[in-house]
Amino acid sequence: DTAVSQTPKYLVTQMGNDKSIKCEQNLGHDTMYWYKQDSKKFLKIMFSYNNKELIINETVPNRFSPKSPDKAHLNLHINSLELGDSAVYFCASSQLGTSGPKDEQFFGPGTRLTVL
Amino acid sequence: KNEVEQSPQNLTAQEGEFITINCSYSVGISALHWLQQHPGGGIVSLFMLSSGKKKHGRLIATINIQEKHSSLHITASHPRDSAVYICAPNFGNEKLTFGTGTRLTIIP
């Protein structure tokens, strides 16, 4: 029933490891997003895919690689994790109009990543 | 530069009070979103509006495009309204730019 789901909910790992976060939406939306919320609770976009194509790629280290196998899935792979990567990562989806999101964005529950 | 300012940063009020949270932005937008982040961390979209006013239950969102300003109002506030409210304009592209949020605490 969940509209936007993310796994895992919590991720604790050592510096230098590689990890992935998965996101799925069952709303039929054509656009998905990854956001990072830092320790000060500030939200910032990282990536966006529209119909499996990358349309937003903010200034993010290339250790972060998004992958969208289909419209309903957007995964985030992080190589060589660093302490500063600790944050909450939110996935979201929406239907894109001609000048931006056509409708509200729906957010996943978030993945709290802790790098030790 | 696309900038967003929210005020106040923190707001504490008694149950039943009328709440107003303000959002100003620097350049023209195609739409503006109001989000609510619960104490548990989940984010919910409350409104997306590009003109005028929208109402959902006790929540009202207004926007003045000429003045580049939006407000979120909560009538008859309740402790369960305690959350962080985030304004996020869409500056005509595909992405949202987020304000720093307003932390609202409603005391019974």
Side-chain angles (χ1 to χ4, degrees), chain A residues 33 35 37 42-45 55-56 58 90 96 99-105 107, chain B residues 30 33 35 37 41 43 45-48 86 90 92-96 98-100:
Chain A
Y33 310 81
Y35 295 100
Q37 187 171 44
F42 189 65
L43 270 167
K44 196 164 182 193
I45 189 159
I55 58 170
I56 296 173
E58 290 294 285
F90 286 96
L96 202 60
S99 59
K102 195 173 171 182
D103 208 340
E104 299 166 18
Q105 291 195 14
F107 286 79
Chain B
S30 59
H33 299 243
L35 310 173
Q37 186 164 28
I43 298 175
S45 176
L46 299 175
F47 296 103
M48 173 178 150
I86 303 166
N90 178 256
N93 50 26
E94 297 81 11
K95 64 181 183 181
L96 302 183
F98 296 90
T100 51

Side-chain angles (χ1 to χ4, degrees), chain A residues 32-105:
Chain A
M32 296 183 73
Y33 310 81
W34 277 113
Y35 295 100
K36 179 180 180 181
Q37 187 171 44
D38 59 25
S39 56
K40 294 182 181 175
K41 304 292 187 186
F42 189 65
L43 270 167
K44 196 164 182 193
I45 189 159
M46 300 174 69
F47 302 103
S48 177
Y49 272 74
N50 173 252
N51 287 315
K52 302 194 297 175
E53 292 209 14
L54 183 66
I55 58 170
I56 296 173
N57 185 352
E58 290 294 285
T59 311
V60 176
N62 57 16
R63 298 181 295 103
F64 290 79
S65 51
K67 291 238 177 359
S68 181
D70 56 57
K71 279 196 325 183
H73 295 85
L74 180 61
N75 304 322
L76 183 65
H77 188 76
I78 316 170
N79 288 327
S80 305
L81 278 155
E82 300 179 356
L83 294 176
D85 297 332
S86 295
V88 180
Y89 293 84
F90 286 96
C91 175
S93 74
S94 72
Q95 191 66 18
L96 202 60
T98 53
S99 59
K102 195 173 171 182
D103 208 340
E104 299 166 18
Q105 291 195 14

